[in-house]
Amino acid sequence: MIGRIVKKITISKEQIAYQHKRYYNKTMIKNDEYFMKEAFKEAKKAYKKGEVPIGCVLVNNENKEILARAHNLREEKHDISAHAEIIALKKAGQKSLNWRSENTTLYVTVEPCVMCAGAILQSRISRIVFGIYEPATGGFGGKIDLTKEFKSNLTITSGILKDKIQELMKEFFEERRQ
């Protein structure tokens, strides 16, 4: 008679969580909402530093890899140009050794200001996705639409995670007024 050998296998909760995360990361659909959540994480970093909570990620359209991520650092760096978008464009340029960011999408929590919009158009980003419009300084429709002023093939999508981003901005400015 051939006996069966039964091996008891024990797996810790940590191992199960790790395997689930590994599987989830492989199968996750990386869409606009996914990348805007990554930009939102950056915005929360800015918030914790006392910066206006704006964050962004620059994504390669072909392989969906994040090329650069950044958040506002104007107060920390004492630099008017230390906006999340400018920092991300600089990081991507240094990484790729090329100032052009063709075939990329920039996900940013708040519509870029006119300064950042100009840099985005110059860098040849193909698409921008943002959560909320910025009526005071926005460069893609909030205040002025630079894509109409300059020849551009930039595709614009707005409204992704709108409510969550508005709530974070409201909370930040209410705290600042106290």
Side-chain angles (χ1 to χ4, degrees):
M1 181 169 155
I2 300 174
R4 289 191 330 177
I5 299 174
V6 177
K7 185 177 179 184
K8 187 176 179 183
I9 300 173
T10 57
I11 300 174
S12 70
K13 287 180 182 177
E14 290 82 17
Q15 289 170 318
I16 292 170
Y18 172 76
Q19 290 299 328
H20 174 73
K21 184 177 180 182
R22 201 168 134 215
Y23 173 78
Y24 183 71
N25 285 341
K26 282 184 179 179
T27 60
M28 183 188 312
I29 297 170
K30 293 186 176 179
N31 58 15
D32 287 349
E33 188 173 330
Y34 170 84
F35 290 116
M36 188 58 78
K37 285 179 180 176
E38 292 298 308
F40 189 75
K41 288 177 189 176
E42 289 297 317
K44 288 201 287 190
K45 288 178 187 177
Y47 181 92
K48 288 177 183 174
K49 293 178 179 181
E51 300 277 354
V52 175
I54 297 175
C56 70
V57 293
L58 183 64
V59 177
N60 180 310
N61 289 342
E62 291 175 8
N63 62 17
K64 301 297 184 195
E65 282 185 32
I66 295 176
L67 302 172
R69 55 178 71 235
H71 54 274
N72 275 7
L73 291 171
R74 290 189 323 168
E75 302 298 327
E76 183 178 303
K77 296 201 177 277
H78 309 288
D79 180 354
I80 189 66
S81 69
H83 289 206
E85 304 92 326
I86 301 293
I87 295 167
L89 289 173
K90 286 181 178 181
K91 284 181 178 180
Q94 291 165 354
K95 187 175 178 179
S96 68
L97 301 177
N98 190 348
W99 59 268
R100 293 174 192 87
S101 292
E102 296 166 319
N103 201 23
T104 60
T105 298
L106 183 69
Y107 293 86
V108 59
T109 53
V110 177
E111 175 190 12
C113 71
V114 175
M115 173 184 70
C116 293
I120 288 163
L121 291 172
Q122 289 292 316
S123 69
R124 301 181 185 160
I125 287 173
S126 52
R127 182 170 179 244
I128 183 163
V129 178
F130 57 86
I132 60 174
Y133 280 94
E134 169 48 76
T137 63
F140 292 123
K143 181 70 173 179
I144 187 172
D145 188 350
L146 291 182
T147 61
K148 292 180 180 171
E149 301 297 321
F150 300 95
K151 186 178 177 181
S152 171
N153 294 325
L154 181 68
T155 302
I156 300 170
T157 304
S158 64
I160 308 296
L161 296 186
K162 176 182 168 184
D163 295 337
K164 203 171 179 180
I165 294 165
Q166 281 178 328
E167 184 59 37
L168 182 67
M169 295 297 283
K170 180 181 174 186
E171 185 179 318
F172 176 79
F173 286 108
E174 282 177 356
E175 283 181 12
R176 296 278 301 232
R177 289 184 191 111
Q178 292 177 358

